[in-house]
Amino acid sequence: MANSRTLRRLIKAGVENGTEAFRRAAEELIREERAKKHHLLANDLERMLYGEGPGGPRAPSREYDVPKDTERGLRLLEVRQPCRDLNEIVLSDENTSALGEIILEQGRSELLGSYGLRAVGKVLFYGPPGCGKTTAAEVLATELDMDIAVVRFDSVVSSFLGETAANLRKVFEFLAGERVVALFDEFDAVAKTRSDEAEHGELKRVVNAFLQLVDAYRGRSLLIAATNHESLLDRAIWRRFDEVLHIDRPTLKQIQDLLSLKLRGVRYDLPLDETAFLKAMDGLSHADVERVVVRAIKSMVLAGREILAVDLFETALRKEQRRQDVLARR
């Protein structure tokens, strides 16, 4: 049986000089290592093979004629293959059930159409940052076997009068002609309340354009909007969505499930079933908890230890809490 160092050298050499046959063999090897619960090794090999981490960007399944901003020539969307499935996310039972219903309806959209019904096609995720909104969109794309198209608001929003609304029209025209999961992340950038006296007339025109485009949309792509600032959204926006999900910080039970998920393939001696241990992470987001786990695992590896113990985890947690204190003062 080859050791991990040999496997890493093999993958590196194959990536540099390999063929499609090598890639298929390497992918099979990674699947075998993951089945053995050697997740750290599998993730490392995957990173070497694809050039990204397991959750990183992947090339789209095919070429797309992505629209561009006329002013600067920037792409208005980035299309890629999703990397995460339902086993990679921890949500409330209510939200997990809601995702399941969306997947079911989207998967049987033709059947619903034969009865004059439409599948859920417009979904709004809101809640604190780092709690899984973007991951949930990626999970939907994976489960529906669709690419994910992330709308680039840095390209959509233009300094030229009327160009932002024109860019939005291009985005919706593209989505109407494709079948992808479209993610409008941080979409309060184009959906702020029109009653805000501080906002200029151009933004109000953009909001009006967005509302009209959403109302008129009849394409097969699944539209997902996500925001950390729901209080900024125009009241009329909320009624345009078929489903609205509040994705909040994890409960203690969800923290326990998240730790179990992120510690797969790692030998550890942690009291995951003790309330006091879990309460130390109460109030952290999903991303914060994951950051603690990664930092603790790094410390274990660098210290040459084989088991992730409480002392390493608590040190990582204290560092994250200091980070949270700094952010809170900003």
Side-chain angles (χ1 to χ4, degrees):
M1 179 66 66
N3 62 33
S4 60
R5 178 178 295 182
T6 302
L7 291 176
R8 289 184 175 91
R9 291 174 62 186
L10 175 64
I11 295 294
K12 182 178 180 181
V15 169
E16 293 172 353
N17 307 291
T19 63
E20 182 60 30
F22 167 80
R23 181 175 293 273
R24 288 196 298 269
E27 289 173 342
E28 178 62 27
L29 175 62
I30 291 169
R31 284 193 292 270
E32 290 178 1
E33 292 302 318
R34 204 173 290 285
K36 297 174 186 174
K37 299 191 182 301
H38 297 167
H39 295 288
L40 290 179
L41 174 59
N43 290 346
D44 202 11
L45 298 179
E46 204 169 51
R47 186 179 302 110
M48 296 170 70
L49 182 62
Y50 297 114
E52 292 286 349
R58 302 281 176 81
S61 60
R62 63 178 180 81
E63 289 293 325
Y64 291 88
D65 186 14
V66 176
K68 295 181 180 180
D69 168 57
T70 303
E71 176 192 350
R72 295 158 293 176
L74 301 175
R75 293 161 66 92
L76 300 179
L77 306 100
E78 290 295 337
V79 187
R80 59 179 172 80
Q81 290 188 61
C83 304
R84 303 190 182 188
D85 58 28
L86 279 171
N87 295 320
E88 299 289 327
I89 192 171
V90 174
L91 297 172
S92 67
D93 291 342
E94 182 180 3
N95 284 337
T96 300
S97 176
L99 291 188
E101 291 177 7
I102 294 169
I103 292 166
L104 177 61
E105 289 195 21
Q106 278 285 321
R108 306 297 300 278
S109 58
E110 292 186 3
L111 173 63
L112 291 174
S114 68
Y115 286 86
L117 302 170
R118 290 184 58 84
V120 170
K122 304 165 190 174
V123 184
L124 170 61
F125 296 151
Y126 74 96
C131 290
K133 296 184 292 296
T134 303
T135 301
E138 188 163 352
V139 165
L140 287 172
T142 299
E143 298 296 328
L144 293 169
D145 194 24
M146 294 157 62
D147 285 339
I148 185 166
V150 181
V151 180
R152 293 187 52 182
F153 283 124
D154 59 333
S155 301
V156 169
V157 177
S158 171
S159 60
F160 281 64
L161 185 67
E163 190 65 23
T164 300
N167 285 340
L168 283 172
R169 281 192 291 274
K170 292 178 184 177
V171 167
F172 275 86
E173 287 171 1
F174 170 81
L175 297 177
E178 301 290 349
R179 180 159 169 75
V180 296
V181 170
L183 175 60
F184 294 78
D185 201 7
E186 299 181 0
F187 96 118
D188 44 272
V190 294
K192 285 185 179 179
T193 177
R194 290 166 291 178
S195 62
D196 189 344
E197 298 296 333
E199 295 296 349
H200 52 77
E202 172 65 3
L203 179 60
K204 295 178 182 180
R205 284 191 288 272
V206 168
V207 176
N208 286 334
F210 187 85
L211 290 171
Q212 292 168 6
L213 289 166
V214 171
D215 283 340
Y217 178 74
R218 295 295 183 270
R220 297 193 307 135
S221 292
L222 173 61
L223 308 186
I224 298 179
T227 180
N228 304 331
H229 305 289
E230 63 273 13
S231 62
L232 298 180
L233 298 184
D234 192 275
R235 290 178 61 185
I237 290 289
W238 297 83
R239 298 193 298 272
R240 265 60 182 190
F241 292 94
D242 305 318
E243 288 283 356
V244 177
L245 303 185
H246 181 210
I247 301 181
D248 206 351
R249 292 183 177 86
T251 63
L252 295 188
K253 178 60 170 65
Q254 290 166 13
I255 290 174
Q256 183 184 45
D257 293 342
L258 187 59
L259 290 174
S260 297
L261 174 65
K262 298 303 177 182
L263 289 168
R264 289 180 307 180
V266 179
R267 296 177 64 193
Y268 61 87
D269 182 17
L270 301 172
L272 300 189
D273 56 349
E274 291 186 7
T275 301
F277 178 77
L278 299 174
K279 273 190 173 181
M281 288 166 276
D282 192 21
L284 296 182
S285 71
H286 296 70
D288 298 334
V289 174
E290 182 172 355
R291 194 178 298 110
V292 172
V293 171
V294 171
R295 185 179 283 125
I297 292 173
K298 286 181 180 178
S299 298
M300 178 191 72
V301 171
L302 294 175
R305 293 166 63 170
E306 296 184 355
I307 298 177
L308 179 57
V310 172
D311 64 315
L312 294 174
F313 194 90
E314 289 182 342
T315 299
L317 179 57
R318 285 195 295 272
K319 289 180 179 178
E320 179 59 28
Q321 289 168 336
R322 286 197 294 271
R323 176 180 175 276
Q324 295 291 321
D325 290 341
V326 170
L327 294 176
R329 293 196 293 270
R330 295 298 179 186

